[in-house]
Amino acid sequence: MPGIGHKVWAVPDGYIPSWSHGPEPDMVSHEAVCILNTGDEDAHLELTVYFSDREPVGPYRIVAPARRTIHLRLNDLQEPEPIPVGKEYALVVRSDVPVVVQHSRLDTRQAENTLMTTMAFPVSE
Amino acid sequence: MPGIGHKVWAVPDGYIPSWSHGPEPDMVSHEAVCILNTGDEDAHLELTVYFSDREPVGPYRIVAPARRTIHLRLNDLQEPEPIPVGKEYALVVRSDVPVVVQHSRLDTRQAENTLMTTMAFPVSE
Amino acid sequence: MPGIGHKVWAVPDGYIPSWSHGPEPDMVSHEAVCILNTGDEDAHLELTVYFSDREPVGPYRIVAPARRTIHLRLNDLQEPEPIPVGKEYALVVRSDVPVVVQHSRLDTRQAENTLMTTMAFPVSE
Amino acid sequence: MPGIGHKVWAVPDGYIPSWSHGPEPDMVSHEAVCILNTGDEDAHLELTVYFSDREPVGPYRIVAPARRTIHLRLNDLQEPEPIPVGKEYALVVRSDVPVVVQHSRLDTRQAENTLMTTMAFPVSE
């Protein structure tokens, strides 16, 4: 059965805060892209990262297995290159099967943490 | 009269923080799924919880009565099993009549609370 | 020219925190429904408030003038009755012309404030 | 290739907090409109700012280059006039090519920062 959602999603406001307070790993400032694959086939995802001052970087390849959710810390991406901290970026997620995508930030630059989240913008086919 | 909204909604970023600061019950870290049923028939809901490392769990059965809103603390679910804290999950809500669904988190792991919210992703039929 | 948006919007997660810290009026815990009317006709709005344990209350009548935005503190509504604090509710906004609706909460129950926001859910006609 | 998204987006809840705590420029209270242009043509944007008590102001002209993201601090707009702080406003973004728009606020009025974000409301053509 195909899963629910869309194959392409966009997030304009990416920003990994460059410092943190509090115990690791919970309180490390980070952003997460959360992917839900309700279908019965694995989702093969390609992330493209956009910047303000240079060409996009990607694809970052990720698998969201069938009937699973993946909460990927964007700080942890290594290939083709880490996303720089303290620098504005944007994200496009492309999948070969429908998924649902949400984006969240935990900012612990000051002593107390703060959260923000939004559903990514779904692109209709 | 049928209510407004959709019958299927998804939330990829579920996470119940595993500790709290401040007076109970207000300041217990929690997530809530908020359901609005504007119609004249009770909504019978089935929640399915998705994980990163095992098969989905559900259904969790809930009723949102006609012309009522239900703000359900996801921490409080018991049957078929509690949602583990400190572990990433995702949520799908299925209803027999149209409803509107929003998802919010209160995180009080540090001394000061922080909130995040988003409308769930509505699935078109 | 008609404005942009929709005539019916819903917000499931309403909750006015029951206490506050910090200087008034900025730091009073509150919720705001923010309405943008880009059209050339005044928008006549009716708000209906839904509860978990009793019949809906309304209409609350508001005007969003042509080419204006109204950020209405829900704490300030008086007629037909104030919205109780510390109690879950939901909101439906109906307008005679298209508008755009966003809902935000400022929670200052603890020493440091926290914010959450989401676009309301637009109902297609 | 045309980019993904829409040409018109609206944000009802604009508010630039009037004071700040913490090191500049990171911790200056601000709002940002984040624009992602995935297309191969530069996007020419016009922002219109709506108020509660006077006629809209604009256009504010911005370019989001091809394959780039722009995170524009609304506090920094100068022409035709700065957006007043501590005053409610709303925002409409119009582009000549499709873009994706998200709006975020960092509020550092109290000692600890708080964030909120939402995808802007996309207007279908």
Coordinates of all heavy atoms in Angstrom, one line a residue, chain A residues 72-110:
Chain A
L72 N 16.0 12.8 11.7 CA 17.4 12.9 11.3 C 18.0 14.3 11.8 O 17.5 15.3 11.4 CB 17.5 12.9 9.8 CG 18.9 13.1 9.2 CD1 19.8 11.8 9.4 CD2 18.8 13.4 7.7
R73 N 19.0 14.2 12.6 CA 19.6 15.5 13.0 C 20.5 16.0 11.9 O 21.4 15.3 11.4 CB 20.5 15.2 14.2 CG 19.8 15.1 15.5 CD 20.7 15.4 16.7 NE 19.9 15.1 18.0 CZ 20.3 15.6 19.2 NH1 21.4 16.3 19.3 NH2 19.6 15.4 20.2
L74 N 20.1 17.2 11.4 CA 20.8 17.7 10.2 C 22.3 18.0 10.5 O 23.1 18.0 9.6 CB 20.1 18.9 9.7 CG 18.7 18.5 9.1 CD1 17.7 19.6 9.1 CD2 18.9 18.0 7.7
N75 N 22.6 18.2 11.8 CA 24.0 18.4 12.2 C 24.9 17.2 11.9 O 26.1 17.3 11.9 CB 24.1 18.6 13.8 CG 23.1 19.6 14.3 OD1 22.0 19.7 13.8 ND2 23.6 20.3 15.3
D76 N 24.2 16.0 11.8 CA 25.0 14.8 11.7 C 25.3 14.4 10.3 O 26.1 13.5 10.1 CB 24.2 13.6 12.3 CG 24.0 13.8 13.8 OD1 24.8 14.5 14.4 OD2 23.2 13.1 14.4
L77 N 24.8 15.1 9.3 CA 25.1 14.8 7.9 C 26.5 15.0 7.6 O 27.1 16.0 8.0 CB 24.2 15.6 7.0 CG 22.7 15.3 7.0 CD1 22.0 16.4 6.1 CD2 22.4 13.9 6.5
Q78 N 27.1 14.0 6.9 CA 28.6 14.1 6.6 C 28.9 14.1 5.1 O 29.8 14.8 4.7 CB 29.3 12.9 7.2 CG 29.3 13.0 8.8 CD 30.1 14.1 9.4 OE1 31.0 14.7 8.7 NE2 29.8 14.5 10.6
E79 N 28.0 13.4 4.4 CA 28.3 13.2 2.9 C 27.2 13.8 2.1 O 26.0 13.5 2.4 CB 28.4 11.7 2.6 CG 29.6 11.1 3.1 CD 31.0 11.6 2.6 OE1 31.0 12.1 1.5 OE2 32.0 11.6 3.3
P80 N 27.5 14.7 1.1 CA 28.8 15.1 0.6 C 29.6 16.0 1.5 O 30.8 16.1 1.3 CB 28.5 15.7 -0.8 CG 27.1 16.1 -0.7 CD 26.4 15.2 0.3
E81 N 29.0 16.8 2.4 CA 29.8 17.6 3.3 C 28.9 18.0 4.5 O 27.6 18.1 4.3 CB 30.3 18.9 2.6 CG 29.2 19.7 2.0 CD 29.7 21.0 1.3 OE1 30.2 20.9 0.1 OE2 29.7 22.1 1.9
P82 N 29.4 18.3 5.7 CA 28.5 18.8 6.8 C 27.9 20.1 6.4 O 28.4 20.9 5.7 CB 29.5 18.9 7.9 CG 30.7 18.2 7.6 CD 30.8 18.2 6.1
I83 N 26.7 20.3 7.0 CA 26.0 21.6 6.9 C 26.7 22.6 7.9 O 26.8 22.2 9.0 CB 24.5 21.5 7.2 CG1 23.9 20.5 6.2 CG2 23.9 22.9 7.1 CD1 22.4 20.3 6.5
P84 N 27.2 23.7 7.4 CA 27.9 24.6 8.3 C 26.9 25.1 9.4 O 25.7 25.4 9.1 CB 28.3 25.8 7.4 CG 27.7 25.6 6.1 CD 27.1 24.2 6.0
V85 N 27.4 25.3 10.6 CA 26.6 25.8 11.7 C 26.6 27.4 11.6 O 27.6 27.9 11.0 CB 27.1 25.4 13.1 CG1 27.0 23.8 13.2 CG2 28.5 25.8 13.4
G86 N 25.6 28.0 12.2 CA 25.6 29.5 12.3 C 25.4 30.1 11.0 O 25.9 31.3 10.8
K87 N 24.8 29.4 10.0 CA 24.7 29.9 8.7 C 23.4 29.6 8.1 O 22.9 28.4 8.3 CB 25.8 29.3 7.8 CG 26.2 30.0 6.6 CD 27.6 29.6 6.1 CE 27.7 30.0 4.6 NZ 27.2 31.4 4.3
E88 N 22.7 30.5 7.5 CA 21.4 30.2 7.0 C 21.4 29.3 5.8 O 22.3 29.4 4.9 CB 20.7 31.5 6.6 CG 21.3 32.3 5.5 CD 21.1 33.8 5.6 OE1 20.9 34.3 6.8 OE2 21.0 34.5 4.6
Y89 N 20.4 28.4 5.8 CA 20.3 27.5 4.6 C 18.9 27.1 4.4 O 18.0 27.5 5.2 CB 21.2 26.2 4.8 CG 20.7 25.2 5.9 CD1 19.9 24.1 5.5 CD2 21.0 25.4 7.2 CE1 19.5 23.2 6.5 CE2 20.6 24.5 8.2 CZ 19.8 23.4 7.8 OH 19.3 22.6 8.8
A90 N 18.6 26.3 3.4 CA 17.2 25.8 3.2 C 17.3 24.4 2.7 O 18.4 24.0 2.3 CB 16.5 26.7 2.2
L91 N 16.2 23.7 2.7 CA 16.3 22.2 2.5 C 15.2 21.8 1.5 O 14.0 22.3 1.7 CB 16.0 21.6 3.8 CG 16.3 20.1 4.0 CD1 17.8 19.9 3.9 CD2 15.9 19.7 5.4
V92 N 15.5 20.9 0.6 CA 14.5 20.3 -0.2 C 14.7 18.8 -0.1 O 15.8 18.3 -0.1 CB 14.5 20.7 -1.7 CG1 13.6 19.8 -2.5 CG2 14.1 22.2 -1.9
V93 N 13.6 18.1 0.2 CA 13.6 16.6 0.4 C 12.8 16.0 -0.8 O 11.6 16.4 -1.0 CB 12.9 16.2 1.7 CG1 12.9 14.7 1.9 CG2 13.6 16.9 2.9
R94 N 13.4 15.1 -1.5 CA 12.8 14.4 -2.6 C 12.8 12.9 -2.3 O 13.8 12.4 -1.8 CB 13.5 14.6 -3.9 CG 13.4 16.0 -4.4 CD 14.2 16.3 -5.7 NE 14.4 17.7 -5.9 CZ 13.5 18.5 -6.5 NH1 12.4 17.9 -7.0 NH2 13.7 19.8 -6.6
S95 N 11.6 12.3 -2.4 CA 11.5 10.8 -2.1 C 10.9 10.1 -3.3 O 10.2 10.7 -4.1 CB 10.5 10.7 -0.9 OG 10.2 9.4 -0.6
D96 N 11.2 8.8 -3.4 CA 10.6 8.0 -4.5 C 9.2 7.5 -4.2 O 8.6 7.0 -5.1 CB 11.6 6.9 -4.9 CG 11.9 5.9 -3.7 OD1 11.6 6.3 -2.6 OD2 12.5 4.9 -4.0
V97 N 8.8 7.6 -2.9 CA 7.4 7.2 -2.6 C 6.9 8.3 -1.6 O 7.7 9.1 -1.1 CB 7.4 5.9 -1.9 CG1 7.8 4.7 -2.8 CG2 8.3 5.9 -0.6
P98 N 5.6 8.4 -1.5 CA 5.1 9.5 -0.6 C 5.5 9.4 0.8 O 5.5 8.3 1.4 CB 3.5 9.3 -0.8 CG 3.3 8.6 -2.0 CD 4.5 7.7 -2.2
V99 N 5.9 10.5 1.4 CA 6.2 10.6 2.9 C 5.6 11.9 3.4 O 5.2 12.7 2.7 CB 7.7 10.5 3.1 CG1 8.3 9.2 2.7 CG2 8.5 11.7 2.3
V100 N 5.7 12.0 4.7 CA 5.3 13.3 5.4 C 6.6 13.8 6.1 O 7.3 13.1 6.7 CB 4.2 13.1 6.4 CG1 3.7 14.5 6.9 CG2 3.0 12.4 5.7
V101 N 6.8 15.2 5.9 CA 8.1 15.8 6.4 C 7.8 17.0 7.3 O 7.0 17.9 7.0 CB 9.0 16.2 5.2 CG1 10.2 16.9 5.8 CG2 9.3 15.0 4.4
Q102 N 8.4 17.0 8.5 CA 8.3 18.1 9.4 C 9.7 18.5 9.8 O 10.7 17.7 9.8 CB 7.5 17.6 10.7 CG 7.2 18.7 11.7 CD 6.4 18.1 12.8 OE1 5.8 17.0 12.7 NE2 6.3 18.9 13.9
H103 N 9.9 19.8 10.1 CA 11.2 20.3 10.5 C 11.2 21.0 11.8 O 10.3 21.8 12.0 CB 11.7 21.3 9.3 CG 13.0 21.9 9.5 ND1 13.2 23.1 10.1 CD2 14.3 21.4 9.3 CE1 14.5 23.4 10.1 NE2 15.2 22.4 9.7
S104 N 12.2 20.8 12.7 CA 12.2 21.3 14.0 C 13.6 21.8 14.4 O 14.6 21.2 13.9 CB 11.7 20.3 15.0 OG 10.4 19.8 14.7
R105 N 13.6 22.8 15.2 CA 14.9 23.3 15.7 C 14.9 23.4 17.2 O 13.9 23.8 17.8 CB 15.2 24.7 15.2 CG 16.5 25.3 15.6 CD 16.7 26.8 15.2 NE 16.5 26.9 13.8 CZ 16.3 28.0 13.1 NH1 16.2 29.1 13.8 NH2 16.1 28.0 11.8
L106 N 15.9 22.9 17.9 CA 16.2 23.1 19.3 C 17.3 24.0 19.4 O 18.4 23.7 18.9 CB 16.5 21.7 20.0 CG 16.8 21.9 21.5 CD1 15.6 22.2 22.3 CD2 17.5 20.6 22.0
D107 N 17.1 25.1 20.1 CA 18.1 26.2 20.2 C 18.5 26.3 21.7 O 17.6 26.6 22.5 CB 17.6 27.5 19.7 CG 18.6 28.6 19.7 OD1 19.6 28.5 20.5 OD2 18.4 29.6 19.1
T108 N 19.7 25.9 22.1 CA 20.1 26.0 23.5 C 21.3 27.0 23.6 O 22.1 26.8 24.5 CB 20.5 24.6 24.0 OG1 21.7 24.2 23.3 CG2 19.4 23.6 23.8
R109 N 21.3 28.0 22.8 CA 22.4 28.9 22.9 C 22.4 29.7 24.2 O 23.4 30.0 24.8 CB 22.4 29.9 21.7 CG 22.8 29.3 20.4 CD 22.6 30.3 19.3 NE 21.2 30.6 19.1 CZ 20.8 31.5 18.1 NH1 21.7 32.1 17.4 NH2 19.5 31.7 18.0
Q110 N 21.2 29.9 24.7 CA 21.1 30.5 26.0 C 20.8 29.4 27.0 O 20.7 28.3 26.6 CB 20.0 31.7 26.0 CG 20.5 32.8 25.1 CD 19.6 34.0 25.2 OE1 18.4 34.0 25.3 NE2 20.3 35.2 25.1

